[in-house]
Structure formats: structure tokens, C-alpha cells
Amino acid sequence: MHVPIGRDGTLEATVDHDDWNWLVAHKVSRNWLLRGGQVGACAPGKLEVLIGRVIVDALPGQRVVFLNGNELDLRRSNLGLQSHGGSTRHDRALLIEAATDFERRKALALAEGTYKPRYRKRVPIIVKPKQPKRKAVEPVSFDQMFASI
């Protein structure tokens, strides 16, 4: 599955369909962007996660390695782990905790009758620049083009 990166959509990340469904189920934003050369996204509670670390469940101290060198290829077959270096966070555990906390707060607000969903205006992920309208040109024959010469 191809996911556009940023608002202009000039770059695309490739991710397995099962991983995409898991990320969406855990409330990861569908607007992905580059964070230090790696693909990242926002999650509930203003948590920012790196998608590659979430997919391979990288623990603190482990580093995600892209086997073919393409950091936009987030399929499991392209991701590996190095035991040294890397982040001090466990992104997948943080994401699960944030999604669970969001659902818990939502259930409490629903029970109290104070839940108000925040709907955003639908905006396209990829914004295509407006093209100027072309003026209609009347067809001209070959003889008419060179008649004035």
C-alpha cells in the first residue's frame, strides 16, 4: 500500500496492508511526514512515532535498518533491527498506551454525556496546484499563417 508523505504528496511510503490496518486501528494519523529522514506520524495525545519502529516493535536501544537502503519502503521484508544505537523509546508500546488511554477517556465521557467528537474539515491529503484555463484558439490553415508575409 502506498501512503503519501506530506501535503504535496511528492513522496510515497510503501507499507504492508496488515500493518496499515493495525496503525489505523491504533489511531495513528494518516498524514505522514519525514522526521530526520525516517517516516513519522502523530498519534493520540500528541505522541509522535516513527512508523518503522512501530512496525518492527523496536525496543529502546535498538535501531531500525532498511535492508534495501530505501527509508520509504516500510514493508516488513525490508525492515531489520540492529542491537546497538537507536532510540531510547519503545514507540509501539507508547502508541498502544496512548490509544488505550484515548479509548478509556472517550468511554468515560460517553458515560457522563460530555463526549463531543472533534470533526475536522475534510481536506485532501494531496493538494494539486490549480492549472490556469487555456484560451480556445481558432484553427488556422497553413495558407492563412503565411498570408501576411
Side-chain angles (χ1 to χ4, degrees):
M1 173 170 234
H2 297 280
V3 182
I5 307 278
R7 288 198 176 258
D8 59 355
T10 54
L11 298 173
E12 284 186 340
T14 307
V15 66
D16 293 327
H17 192 69
D18 295 336
D19 292 328
W20 170 258
N21 288 337
W22 190 91
L23 291 166
V24 169
H26 285 81
K27 312 281 190 263
V28 173
S29 171
R30 291 169 178 86
N31 296 327
W32 291 7
L33 32 109
L34 287 177
R35 297 251 185 244
Q38 291 189 12
V39 179
C42 292
K46 299 182 181 179
L47 175 70
E48 295 180 6
V49 294
L50 294 175
I51 302 297
R53 291 186 61 78
V54 172
I55 290 174
V56 296
D57 194 15
L59 299 173
Q62 291 181 326
R63 180 174 175 223
V64 177
V65 179
F66 301 91
L67 302 178
N68 68 2
N70 183 2
E71 293 179 345
L72 299 178
D73 187 358
L74 297 170
R75 294 175 292 179
R76 284 186 181 265
S77 60
N78 184 44
L79 299 175
L81 287 173
Q82 274 185 347
S83 60
H84 59 279
S87 178
T88 59
R89 300 181 348 165
H90 187 187
D91 286 354
R92 189 178 186 112
L94 291 172
L95 176 60
I96 292 171
E97 182 181 329
T100 305
D101 185 51
F102 173 80
E103 290 297 330
R104 182 185 58 77
R105 285 187 282 122
K106 179 181 172 183
L108 289 173
L110 281 171
E112 294 172 359
T114 59
Y115 178 70
K116 294 180 182 172
R118 297 179 188 161
Y119 293 108
R120 292 185 184 173
K121 228 175 18 175
R122 293 264 180 195
V123 254
I125 293 176
I126 300 174
V127 179
K128 185 176 180 181
K130 292 185 179 180
Q131 299 291 330
K133 291 188 177 182
R134 292 184 171 186
K135 294 180 181 178
V137 178
E138 295 181 21
V140 179
S141 71
F142 185 76
D143 294 332
Q144 290 174 341
M145 279 197 288
F146 296 104
S148 62
I149 297 179

